[in-house]
Amino acid sequence: MGRSVRRSTALALLVGLTALGFAVAAPAQESEGLDLTYDGFFKLDLAYDSALSSHGNFIMYVKPHASGDATATTNLTARQTRLGLRVAGGGSDNFVASGRVEVDFYGGGAENKNLLMLRHAYAELNWQDRDLVLLGGQTSDVISPLVPTTLNYTVAWWVGNIGYRHPQIRVTKGFDVGLDSKLTLAAAAVRTVADDLSPAEPGDAGSHAGMPAIQGRVG
């Protein structure tokens, strides 16, 4: 009880080489009527922690330690560099087809041999005259689609944000309710994943669930 608790003074000097953002539109493929747009950014993160923290490059909590045993660490990583591709066009007279794929380098591996991590990979069919969208693939959850702005790589998981990205089949329907307002209903069947931070172990109930999770939102 008398043990003092030290706080980590994580100096998040997210180096401003930080978001060297770029967006390049490739010429449309006339034969298929597709418009390809590349996007992403290069990013280097530097952080100094006065005490050991979880996950090294990003912090969820400070590890417990005996008084006087704290070890300062300096973390330097380019893992959050992000690459993306958007595809628009195709479809028919009734709907518009589009798609997106996006990766970063938080898929594991040694610090100088980072592995790709799939963030988004989905296709959409949009019936604009009906305000109806069908999505299939991996993207942000229906229940928590907004990503809070933080210096940390995490999106506030440890302080209440339960959303992430999962494989899913989603339907979104909008209704005009007047006064420049719209009611939007979204529902999705989502792959149940036991642990988003590490590969699922054999026997994890979530990864072997007989039924997908069902998510819904009214906006």
Side-chain angles (χ1 to χ4, degrees):
M1 296 294 293
R3 183 180 300 172
S4 62
V5 179
R6 297 187 181 181
R7 295 181 180 178
S8 171
T9 56
L11 214 67
L13 298 169
L14 273 135
V15 176
L17 311 161
T18 253
L20 209 55
F22 64 88
V24 181
Q29 299 179 10
E30 296 181 2
S31 60
E32 299 181 6
L34 297 181
D35 181 18
L36 306 181
T37 303
Y38 305 96
D39 57 49
F41 54 79
F42 301 102
K43 188 166 183 284
L44 179 66
D45 294 338
L46 169 63
Y48 170 81
D49 300 339
S50 62
L52 286 178
S53 63
S54 67
H55 298 84
N57 291 324
F58 58 91
I59 301 170
M60 289 185 175
Y61 52 87
V62 178
K63 294 183 177 181
H65 55 271
S67 179
D69 291 344
T71 302
T73 57
T74 297
N75 298 294
L76 186 64
T77 184
R79 285 180 184 264
Q80 201 173 341
T81 294
R82 188 179 301 172
L83 305 174
L85 170 66
R86 297 174 186 266
V87 183
S92 70
D93 294 337
N94 298 320
F95 63 85
V96 175
S98 62
R100 175 186 179 189
V101 63
E102 181 181 283
V103 299
D104 65 18
F105 295 86
Y106 263 107
E111 193 54 52
N112 61 339
K113 296 180 180 179
N114 307 151
L115 302 180
L116 284 175
M117 185 185 78
L118 185 65
R119 294 171 54 84
H120 300 277
Y122 62 83
E124 279 187 340
L125 302 180
N126 188 338
W127 288 266
Q128 294 177 329
D129 58 335
R130 301 181 182 180
D131 204 349
L132 175 66
V133 178
L134 175 63
L135 177 149
Q138 176 167 304
T139 191
S140 299
D141 287 340
V142 171
I143 57 173
S144 184
L146 303 180
V147 178
T149 301
T150 67
L151 293 178
N152 227 354
Y153 177 72
T154 62
V155 290
W157 293 321
W158 255 232
V159 290
N161 182 15
I162 61 174
Y164 195 53
R165 296 177 294 271
H166 290 93
Q168 60 188 272
I169 299 173
R170 177 192 300 186
V171 177
T172 305
K173 179 72 173 79
F175 299 91
D176 186 3
V177 294
L179 300 176
D180 297 324
S181 299
K182 183 172 75 171
L183 175 67
T184 301
L185 306 179
V190 180
R191 169 72 183 269
T192 302
V193 180
D195 185 351
D196 288 312
L197 295 179
S198 61
E201 296 294 334
D204 281 346
S207 296
H208 300 282
M211 295 291 292
I214 302 300
Q215 296 184 4
R217 185 177 79 246
V218 177

